[in-house]
Amino acid sequence: MADILAQKPLDGKKIVLGVTGGIAAYKAVEVVSRLRKAGAEVHVIMTRAAQDFVTELTFREISGQAVTTSMWEKVTQHKVEHIALANLADLMLVVPATANFLAKAAAGLADDMLTTTLLATQAPVFLAPAMNTNMYENPVTQKNLRELAARGFHLIEPASGLLACGVTGKGRLPEPVDIVAQVISFCAKERDLLGRKILVTAGGTREPLDPVRYLGNRSTGRMGYAIAQAAAARGAKVVLVSGPSALPVPSGVRRVSVETAREMREAVLREFDDADAVIKAAAVADYRPKNVAANKIKKSEGEFTLVLERNPDILWELGQKKRQQVLVGFAAETTKLEEYARGKLAKKNLDFIVANDVSRADAGFAVDTNCAKLFMRDGTVHDCPLTSKAELAGIILDHVRECLP
Ligand code: PMT
């Protein structure tokens, strides 16, 4: 790491570092020191509670900059106090991020300089949660974290170990060296998809049966939205063709909303010709009801027979049309993962396929985590153990980048 810092990988970057009131606040001092060694200009904002743990003087000396501790103090360095730091930041980082701060951030509160800056900035934001295990695992905190992740914040996973409160579990702030490594790696690949158009599909399709019913599946869109969000953050122009989903549109992404497989096909074909890569994370219905009733079907005694007909296989069609595009499919399998995935890879003429075992409770549909095997056209296989969908999205995009001409 020392060698990497000497290469000044963050040269010219302006980083705003928020410190909130947790016992791990002292580790933020080393984070500032390392960021500076890596070439960054660091501006620290401390919450009121953070000042009970570490003094402003420490951060002033280590950052070489004035430290912001209040909304109302006389600010000498910044032109418009409330938003100056928000505009100046190339990247924002909060170390440690307490449960209280996460709750305020998730709710969009702006009652101090840190939350105000967070709300006003358009820079990428990294949050490093650190707290007691029970507080971390509390469903409210987990809900706040999910919401922040869905809004595009980068969460630095807390470590497990002995916490200051004497409990052993998850919630410890990762070592400063690891936090800074994540920032450096993000900045290194930050814009590696600049100028590329990436078409992503997400969510499940719905095939109407009558005006009130449809055939659908359990896809929430989380996997596809994570890919779209990560691609936009890396500079790509992203079009997200999405089935119905409750997720917000990630910033910088153009969403095209569709409902049925045939609507998805039309939207995808419209965007395909000038795309550099297509990543099909959507769960598309293979069949649709042959006849859609004009009025609500009334129940009657006895059985009800539904006749289904085939939907177009969008990905197969793209495989036939493909010229320069990198084509990535997903395979959602419950058995014979490798055999079926390799079959789809060949049949649909893909560059690679992301095979996920959807029989697992912690992978596939409607969860924030996934694990997958990436089967490449050249026969190589990359194993991605259980991780967040955001992390897997990054890995998928790394491989897309390698496949791009
Ligand atoms: O949305 P989440 O809740 O986060 O869940 C994520 C996910 C489980 C939906 C995702 O990880 C996933 O596996 N997506 C693909 C689901 C699927 O339809 O797999 P498949 O094996 O049936 O299809 C293979 C590929 O062909 C897929 O890329 C699919 O988009 C595509 N396909 C399938 C059928 C069809 N008619 N047209 C297609 O283009």
Side-chain angles (χ1 to χ4, degrees), residues 319-341:
Q320 305 303 301
K321 280 172 71 77
K322 159 178 154 78
R323 296 190 316 277
Q324 81 291 352
Q325 292 93 344
V326 173
L327 213 51
V328 181
F330 268 71
E333 309 296 349
T334 52
T335 55
K336 299 184 184 168
L337 185 83
E338 174 158 358
E339 182 186 328
Y340 290 146

Side-chain angles (χ1 to χ4, degrees), residues 265-289:
R265 174 181 174 273
E266 272 174 36
V268 165
L269 289 179
R270 260 199 315 272
E271 300 289 345
F272 181 65
D273 283 347
D274 63 344
D276 293 289
V278 183
I279 307 171
K280 285 216 80 250
V284 186
D286 288 320
Y287 294 91
R288 63 174 179 271

Side-chain angles (χ1 to χ4, degrees), residues 187 204 223 368:
C187 291
M223 189 66 244
D368 291 322

